[in-house]
Amino acid sequence: MTAEAALKRKGLEYERVALTPGKHTGDMEAIYGAGHTTVPGLLIDDEPVHGSRPILARLEELHPDPPLYPGVNAEAVREAERWGDDELQDLGRRLPWGALYFRPDAMGTFGGIGALDPAGVDFAIATVRGTWKYHGITAERLAADLEGLPEKIDHVDQLAAEGLVGGEQPTAADFQIGATVRVLLTLGDLRPLIEGRPAEQVARRWFPDYPGDVPAGAFPSGWVPSRA
Ligand SMILES: N[C@@H](CCC(=O)N[C@@H](CS)C(=O)NCC(=O)O)C(=O)O
């Protein structure tokens, strides 16, 4: 989502190729080299660029206008982007898969198909178990992630106050942070912590449409901090 937003912002033509989750790690290594298992990757003619931050940096080099790392703020935007990737992005993996463990029947909403039938729920349960193992999710870690979320949303307020995100012209940090927050907005339990704040505005402005809805009440009671 981040890479695509940057391509659109730069007005560049591109072809989007969706890979099958799970199998994609091998496909990615075949194109981008050993160890480069994650999406996104971008082929610029024959030049492989792997990872959301390298992609945005390379697009900026090739097409400086409109800038994603504007003028005097360039370094601060780069740091905000790094924070979004290194410190926020993981929550976009662990919190949705974490919530779906308790509401596997809601997994179909992420594929745009609404309620799952019982066989679908069996499939969802097996899938979610796999993701907990793959991403190292445990109940303890999930509870700690939830406890730490308000501080992260506060940090986005701070970045907005500094003009690094949420301005008229989007930065690389808007695209990096907004994409993750947009995923978090699929969780009813988290919406009260995010709604009405700069984080929500950044996410919905650049990523208005994103499927998925896990109704509030998925996480065990007491795990989701109340809004200060
Ligand atoms: N931080 C990197 C990583 C992105 C990432 O984790 N992509 C996931 C998609 S949900 C992936 O491909 N995971 C497969 C894996 O971890 O091997 C970026 O922003 O480019």
Side-chain angles (χ1 to χ4, degrees), residues 103-136:
R103 285 299 303 266
D105 57 306
M107 199 172 91
T109 64
F110 288 83
I113 58 165
L116 295 176
D117 64 12
V121 178
D122 275 330
F123 178 81
I125 289 170
T127 303
V128 173
R129 279 176 187 275
T131 67
W132 274 51
K133 197 167 176 199
Y134 187 79
H135 292 298

Side-chain angles (χ1 to χ4, degrees), residues 121-174:
V121 178
D122 275 330
F123 178 81
I125 289 170
T127 303
V128 173
R129 279 176 187 275
T131 67
W132 274 51
K133 197 167 176 199
Y134 187 79
H135 292 298
I137 303 170
T138 63
E140 272 194 298
R141 192 165 193 188
L142 202 50
D145 282 343
L146 288 166
E147 200 183 337
L149 183 63
E151 198 184 310
K152 294 210 164 20
I153 302 301
D154 288 348
H155 186 67
V156 182
D157 282 357
Q158 181 62 35
L159 295 174
E162 291 168 20
L164 302 172
V165 299
E168 207 34 57
Q169 312 295 329
T171 67
D174 280 284

